[in-house]
Amino acid sequence: MEPKEENNTVRSVLVNAGHGYNVKIGSGLINDIGNMVNDVLNADRLAVFIDSEVDRLYGDRLEGNLASAGFQTCRFVFPAGEASKNIKTVVDFIDFMSENHITRKDAVVAAGGGVAGDMGGFAAAIYLRGIKFIQVPTTLLSAVDSSVGGKTGVDTSAGKNLTGAFWQPSLVVCDTDLLKTNSKDLILDGTAEIIKTAAISDKKLFNYIKRTEISENLAEIIEQCVKIKGRVVEADEKEAGLRKILNFGHTMGHAIEMYSDFGISHGKAVAIGMLIVTKAFEFHGLTAYGVFNELNDLISAKGFQTETKAPVNELCRLAMSDKKTSGDNIDLVYLKEIGEAGIYSVKLKDLYNFISC
Ligand code: GLY
C-alpha cells in the first residue's frame, strides 16, 4: 500500500472522553513520539507493549525515540495474533511492569493493531488501579476505529472481548507510514470499518470513499473516521445507547467469523454482515429503498465478497450467543438511509424470521 497524499501535516482530533485526549495523525510521527508523549504525560518510565510482528518492524525505532526524549523504557513483546488476546498475556505484562518498577506516575505505550491496543489498555486500566496509556495504532482498523474510544479487554473461552474495561488513552499517535506494511487482509479489515463509519453517519464521506482510493488519502480518511467516532464516544462513552451504532454489521459479522472458525477475516465478515442486515431492514421497510444496492456496490468495488456460504439459521444461532444480546432481545443496528443509523430490538426467537426474509 503506497500512500501518495502524505506530507508533514499533523492532523489532530480532540476526543472529549475520559480526561480528553488528542488523536494525532500524520506521516513520520513515530520519529517525534517521545516529544508528543512528553507534552501530555509527567511520567518517568514507559512500558512499551508490542506484538512480535510490529516489534520486528518498528520496536527499536519506537522505544529509541521514547528513550531519546528522556523516558526510561522497558519493552514487553508478545506473540502477534488473536490467540494472545487472553488474560494470561495481560497478567504476564502486569508482572513485567511490577518487575520494572512502573509506578502510578508512569504509563503504558501500546503499539500494534486491535489486539495490542485492547490488551495494553486493559493492563493499564487495572495495574495499580489504573495508569495512563498511549495508543500507537499500526493497522488501518486500529487507526480508524479501535485505538479511539477506550474499549479495552481480552477474549475469554466464551467469546471475543468478554472481559474488559472502558479506559480512555491519554494520546493516540497514528503514523500513517506504519500502515504501509499492512497485509491485504488488514487493509480490508480497516476498509470495512471505514465503510461502516461512513454508512452510519456521513453520506458525504460515503460518497468520497466511492470515488477515491483509500490508500491515497489515508490521513484525510482516518481523520474523518476518528472525528465521527469521537463524537459518538463523547455522547455515549459506555455504550448505553448511541455507541451501539458503531456495531453496524458486527452482529452477523462476528457470526460469520465464528462460523468460519476465524478463517474469514474480521473486515470481510463485517462487510457481508452489513449487507445481510441491510437487505433484511430494506425488506421490512425500515431502510430506505435502494440503500442495499448502494452499499453492495461500494463493498464490492472495494474488493470484498458480498455473500457467504454460511446458512442464515446458523448465523442467527451464533449471533444469539453474542454479547450484544440483552435478555430475550438482540439490538440490531440498521441504516435508515446512507449516513443515518438506527437501533432496532428484535426478540431472539424472531431473529431468524426477521433476517431470512
Ligand atoms: N468498535 C466499536 C466501538 O468502539 O464501540
Side-chain angles (χ1 to χ4, degrees):
M1 174 167 179
E2 286 300 324
K4 293 181 188 155
E5 169 225 53
E6 311 303 338
N7 52 36
N8 289 330
T9 311
V10 181
R11 295 162 192 261
S12 194
V13 180
L14 177 64
V15 179
N16 268 314
H19 298 292
Y21 53 95
N22 278 299
V23 181
K24 305 268 185 194
I25 305 151
S27 167
L29 299 193
I30 197 176
N31 303 321
D32 193 33
I33 191 166
N35 289 329
M36 290 182 177
V37 175
N38 245 329
D39 287 344
V40 296
L41 293 186
N42 184 27
D44 297 322
R45 294 186 179 83
L46 298 175
V48 177
F49 181 76
I50 191 166
D51 78 49
S52 50
E53 195 53 32
V54 178
D55 182 57
R56 187 177 61 76
L57 295 164
Y58 308 116
D60 289 347
R61 262 170 71 198
L62 172 63
E63 191 177 351
N65 192 274
L66 294 168
S68 70
F71 293 107
Q72 292 171 52
T73 58
C74 54
R75 192 181 341 173
F76 182 92
V77 183
F78 65 92
E82 189 78 24
S84 291
K85 194 176 171 185
N86 54 55
I87 197 73
K88 183 178 181 307
T89 310
V90 170
V91 171
D92 288 349
F93 178 47
I94 283 172
D95 287 343
F96 174 86
M97 286 198 279
S98 298
E99 283 154 20
N100 284 279
H101 312 292
I102 298 293
T103 70
R104 297 189 83 170
K105 196 180 172 210
D106 300 325
V108 169
V109 176
V115 171
D118 286 10
M119 273 200 295
F122 185 45
I126 59 177
Y127 178 68
L128 302 177
R129 297 199 174 84
I131 64 171
K132 293 187 169 158
F133 88 111
I134 310 286
Q135 287 264 21
V136 185
T138 63
T139 63
L140 185 57
L141 182 146
S142 57
V144 296
D145 188 66
S146 63
S147 66
V148 179
K151 273 192 182 174
T152 72
V154 293
D155 302 338
T156 70
S157 48
K160 279 180 78 165
N161 300 326
L162 290 183
T163 293
F166 288 100
W167 193 247
Q168 301 292 339
S170 296
L171 174 71
V172 181
V173 180
C174 175
D175 182 341
T176 50
D177 292 348
L178 308 192
L179 309 183
K180 287 180 192 171
T181 45
N182 280 198
S183 65
K184 192 163 173 274
D185 271 355
L186 284 180
I187 296 299
L188 284 177
D189 285 347
T191 301
E193 297 293 346
I194 291 167
I195 294 173
K196 171 206 82 177
T197 305
I200 58 172
S201 68
D202 193 335
K203 190 172 172 63
K204 230 169 108 187
L205 180 60
F206 189 89
N207 289 334
Y208 179 65
I209 295 164
K210 262 188 199 172
R211 57 174 194 270
T212 193
E213 192 58 55
I214 290 174
S215 59
E216 289 174 11
N217 298 280
L218 268 185
E220 165 70 20
I221 289 170
I222 293 169
E223 181 185 20
Q224 292 307 319
C225 290
V226 169
K227 278 185 177 161
I228 292 167
K229 180 156 184 186
R231 283 202 302 269
V232 172
V233 169
E234 284 166 3
D236 177 23
E237 185 183 346
K238 304 273 169 74
E239 202 170 292
L242 177 72
R243 186 167 178 168
K244 291 179 187 171
I245 66 171
L246 297 173
N247 297 326
F248 176 51
H250 282 60
T251 300
M252 284 297 143
H254 282 162
I256 293 168
E257 280 184 274
M258 282 192 264
Y259 185 82
S260 73
D261 215 4
F262 295 92
I264 297 184
S265 75
H266 180 74
K268 290 177 186 168
V270 166
I272 297 172
M274 290 191 279
L275 291 173
I276 291 175
V277 91
T278 301
K279 191 173 189 179
F281 274 88
E282 196 171 304
F283 175 85
H284 292 293
L286 289 156
T287 294
Y289 179 72
V291 167
F292 172 78
N293 279 344
E294 209 176 338
L295 188 61
N296 193 64
D297 288 350
L298 178 59
I299 284 174
S300 160
K302 293 297 176 192
F304 292 96
Q305 299 216 336
T306 55
E307 283 176 0
T308 171
K309 289 192 191 113
V312 179
N313 62 338
E314 274 302 300
L315 295 182
C316 290
R317 188 184 61 75
L318 290 164
M320 286 192 261
S321 68
D322 193 277
K323 68 180 188 304
K324 284 165 208 79
T325 57
S326 71
D328 292 337
N329 294 303
I330 186 161
D331 287 336
L332 296 177
V333 184
Y334 69 100
L335 301 179
K336 293 178 184 170
E337 53 190 78
I338 297 291
E340 191 181 352
I343 299 164
Y344 188 83
S345 194
V346 178
K347 291 221 170 306
L348 290 178
K349 68 177 177 49
D350 298 332
L351 182 65
Y352 173 70
N353 282 343
F354 188 88
I355 290 291
S356 65
C357 50

